[in-house]
Amino acid sequence: MSKQVVLLVGTKKGLFTLRSDGDRKKWTTEGPYGGPVPIHHAVYDPRDGSMYAAINSTWGGARIEYSRDLGRTWTVTKNPAFPEGSGHTFFQTWHIEPGHKKTPNVVWAGVEPAALFKSEDRGESWQWVRSLEEHPSRPKWNPGAGGLGLHSIAIDADDPNKMNIGISAGGAFNTADGGKTWNADNATTGQSERPDVFSCIHKLLAHPKVSGVRFMRVHLEVYWREPGETTWTYRTPGLPTTFGFAAAIHPHDRAAAYVIPLHDMQRTAVDPGIAVYATRDRGQTWTRNDKGLPAGAHLEALREGMHTDTFDPVGVYFGSANGEVYASRDEGKSWERIVQYLPYVTSVHAATIEG
Amino acid sequence: MRVLLHGAWRGFAGGAREVPLEAATLRDALAELVRVHPGLGERLRDEHGVLRAHLSLFINDEDARFVGGEDATLHEGDIVHVIPALSGGQ
């Protein structure tokens, strides 16, 4: 098999797959699979080539499906399920995260009501990580505008027992023992005046190669963490707005990341229009990148709406609420629209397949 | 008697439209339906056994909610309709 990129594009009406070779110049579009159901998140597992999709259907309830043939056929997994007496009922899945390469059969799922589920059989079944529910802060978790969901699962590059998770609106937590115990992880150096925003995490990412590097997008702030640090460094200055959802971390450069700033009330890009902001110095400075993006367009990109491939130079991708997907082949400096007229795009995930 | 699966529910049963079965109550019929098509199990009920929202059940022309719910008695020749309620989707 030659090099290729497969974009898993979740929309409100099914899953689309966009495929290209390593040049990333020509794309074919297939789908929708599962239409008209909403796909909240779809992800590729590079460990074994599996794909997973969070299908949050109303008819028949939410479910998770996996594919073992690069998206051509899909199988329904056993649902995440809360036990009797827990006081919870599984509503929908917000995020699926393949486990560390040292734990080849482990896959994680963040769900609503906010909880973490672990699969030890490559997504066939899921077990509730009850320890998180027992954290003393649990009674204080409150739904954000989109619900109370666990949406970020950031696994350390070296140690599968070290993870950070993010909950809207419950905060950021970490574990160093594979989820047996959890610590609130919200100490910062410098932040905005509002005391409440740190509970509403929007996206928390771990660098895939450098242990201890983290990048976090909170409701009205952006933070960075270096290895060995136990606080979050405030890195919002330089961005045109403090708000946003979509975020991505560079898969190679340990100091680089991307965000799409939005208006905090309208939830769309501000003037002069949609742009991807990139940092190459851990968030100390930000650079606007809008070449090839529609000038003046007040587009919206969601939490799971941006991702990168792992080629060199890195490809960066994001989807918009008006059904477009944009791609950059030069690490975010310039962009082109690669598909339009899709339903509302909810997630974009790039599967890098090296032949 | 038989169960007719409508719309999206057919997909959860491998495309099956009609499922002949014998059952004394609606509850029994749904249990037998899941026995025949296990994929329907987690689609009809949540993990606590509660029938999911956005699901309409009719016994012949009667909405099952108004003729006894899951305790409704079934008779020979009855048709149980499993329908995506006019409330779901986006």
Side-chain angles (χ1 to χ4, degrees):
Chain A
M1 188 189 305
S2 58
K3 284 185 179 181
Q4 57 176 306
V5 176
V6 177
L7 296 184
L8 298 175
V9 180
T11 76
K12 286 196 172 183
K13 293 190 182 296
L15 178 68
F16 291 81
T17 50
L18 277 59
R19 302 177 194 268
S20 181
D21 60 20
D23 286 339
R24 300 165 293 183
K25 292 179 181 176
K26 292 184 179 179
W27 295 86
T28 58
T29 302
E30 299 166 12
Y33 169 75
V37 294
I39 310 292
H40 194 86
H41 183 225
V43 64
Y44 172 77
D45 186 343
R47 298 172 302 173
D48 66 358
S50 294
M51 293 177 171
Y52 299 90
I55 300 178
N56 292 340
S57 176
T58 50
W59 298 308
R63 63 190 187 270
I64 297 174
E65 295 189 14
Y66 66 78
S67 172
R68 309 289 191 208
D69 55 11
L70 295 181
R72 290 182 168 83
T73 62
W74 293 83
T75 302
V76 180
T77 79
K78 187 151 176 41
N79 259 20
F82 291 97
E84 289 298 326
S86 65
H88 299 312
T89 302
F90 168 64
F91 179 54
Q92 59 184 359
T93 305
W94 281 46
H95 184 87
I96 302 170
E97 186 71 26
H100 195 278
K101 57 182 180 289
K102 294 178 183 176
T103 56
N105 295 323
V106 172
V107 185
W108 301 90
V111 308
E112 177 181 354
L116 183 65
F117 279 79
K118 179 181 183 181
S119 172
E120 294 184 302
D121 53 12
R122 298 168 70 211
E124 298 276 0
S125 61
W126 306 87
Q127 295 75 48
W128 184 29
V129 179
R130 190 161 196 156
S131 52
L132 182 60
E133 175 78 6
E134 295 165 354
H135 191 273
S137 70
R138 182 61 180 88
K140 298 180 183 177
W141 301 357
N142 283 304
L148 177 61
L150 193 157
H151 52 68
S152 290
I153 304 169
I155 304 170
D156 188 75
D158 289 350
D159 188 349
N161 289 317
K162 292 182 179 177
M163 295 193 327
N164 295 74
I165 59 160
I167 296 171
S168 291
F173 299 84
N174 63 45
T175 179
D177 55 13
K180 296 185 180 67
T181 59
W182 296 90
N183 306 296
D185 189 354
N186 53 15
T188 68
T189 56
Q191 63 181 76
S192 72
E193 293 179 345
R194 283 181 62 166
D196 61 332
V197 294
F198 210 93
S199 66
C200 192
I201 311 303
H202 280 193
K203 193 76 178 161
L204 198 167
L205 299 163
H207 198 280
K209 290 183 176 177
V210 182
S211 177
V213 172
R214 302 286 186 268
F215 177 56
M216 181 165 64
R217 155 94 265 173
V218 182
H219 190 91
L220 289 175
E221 295 142 6
V222 170
Y223 292 92
W224 194 275
R225 174 179 285 174
E226 280 291 284
E229 293 179 342
T230 57
T231 59
W232 296 95
T233 302
Y234 186 59
R235 293 300 193 197
T236 315
L239 292 169
T241 76
T242 57
F243 186 86
F245 286 110
I249 196 164
H250 197 287
H252 311 304
D253 187 338
R254 60 169 290 165
Y258 306 89
V259 294
I260 299 178
L262 304 175
H263 189 284
D264 66 338
M265 295 303 291
Q266 292 165 3
R267 312 294 170 93
T268 55
V270 298
D271 288 331
I274 186 75
V276 176
Y277 279 72
T279 181
R280 289 284 189 176
D281 55 10
R282 304 171 176 83
Q284 292 181 79
T285 60
W286 293 92
T287 302
R288 179 183 172 90
N289 297 283
D290 60 13
K291 182 179 178 183
L293 295 176
H298 300 129
L299 302 183
E300 175 184 9
L302 296 185
R303 186 193 319 274
E304 300 288 2
M306 181 159 64
H307 198 236
T308 72
D309 61 36
T310 58
F311 287 141
D312 184 12
V314 162
V316 190
Y317 310 89
F318 76 89
S320 64
N322 65 330
E324 299 171 335
V325 176
Y326 290 88
S328 169
R329 289 180 280 117
D330 56 7
E331 314 227 335
K333 299 183 185 68
S334 64
W335 298 84
E336 63 177 322
R337 185 177 59 200
I338 59 173
V339 72
Q340 58 182 336
Y341 305 131
L342 298 185
Y344 189 126
V345 175
T346 51
S347 68
V348 173
H349 182 96
T352 306
I353 302 168
E354 308 255 11
Chain B
M1 57 156 297
R2 55 198 171 116
V3 172
L4 287 185
L5 299 169
H6 298 263
W9 293 103
R10 292 177 190 163
F12 302 137
R17 174 182 175 275
E18 181 174 326
V19 182
L21 50 83
E22 296 299 323
T25 66
L26 178 57
R27 180 176 289 105
D28 293 342
L30 295 177
E32 180 63 12
L33 179 64
V34 171
R35 190 191 68 76
V36 174
H37 293 290
L40 282 168
E42 289 189 323
R43 307 281 72 80
L44 285 171
R45 301 183 186 277
D46 67 25
E47 63 262 53
H48 306 303
V50 178
L51 284 174
R52 293 195 181 277
H54 309 293
L55 165 64
S56 285
L57 297 169
F58 277 68
I59 301 172
N60 301 317
D61 293 334
E62 299 287 341
D63 188 322
R65 291 176 296 171
F66 307 124
V67 293
E70 291 196 69
D71 293 326
T73 300
L74 298 177
H75 304 92
E76 185 177 346
D78 279 349
I79 302 174
V80 172
H81 296 269
V82 179
I83 305 171
L86 296 175
S87 61
Q90 299 215 358

